[in-house]
Amino acid sequence: MTTTSAIPEGGGTVFRTHGVVITQPTAGVFLAFTATCTHQGCTVRAVAGGTINCFCHGSRFRIADGSVAGGPATQPLPRLPIFVSDGLISLG
């Protein structure tokens, strides 16, 4: 799906076609979350300032665990399984 080098440390990347956000909150730790905002189902659009951001209504989610950093969303982004091997990241 992507490479570890494509995911910035302290940030992340939204893969709209796959419906997933992959983050690297700390060096070498890669996490994946659904790209569907839990507020009203919009696709999140960006990762910046330590949060995954939905531009539809302004919800923000923490890159380290998907928890809500700012509403109107009240539920975290669900985590998705991924495999990281030899510099490659694939959906589980």
Side-chain angles (χ1 to χ4, degrees):
M1 182 179 148
T2 192
T3 62
T4 55
S5 62
I7 311 300
E9 184 179 338
T13 303
V14 178
F15 296 91
R16 293 174 65 89
T17 57
H18 296 287
V20 66
V21 180
I22 299 177
T23 66
Q24 185 180 187
T26 58
V29 175
F30 298 93
L31 304 170
F33 304 94
T34 181
T36 303
C37 181
T38 58
H39 175 238
Q40 287 191 347
C42 292
T43 301
V44 298
R45 289 197 13 210
V47 180
T51 59
I52 301 163
N53 305 304
C54 181
F55 293 171
C56 287
H57 301 105
S59 294
R60 296 177 298 114
F61 305 89
R62 292 176 186 88
I63 65 170
D65 60 8
S67 64
V68 176
T74 59
Q75 298 296 312
L77 290 178
R79 197 142 157 223
L80 300 172
I82 55 172
F83 295 104
V84 180
S85 179
D86 295 325
L88 299 175
I89 301 172
S90 57
L91 293 175

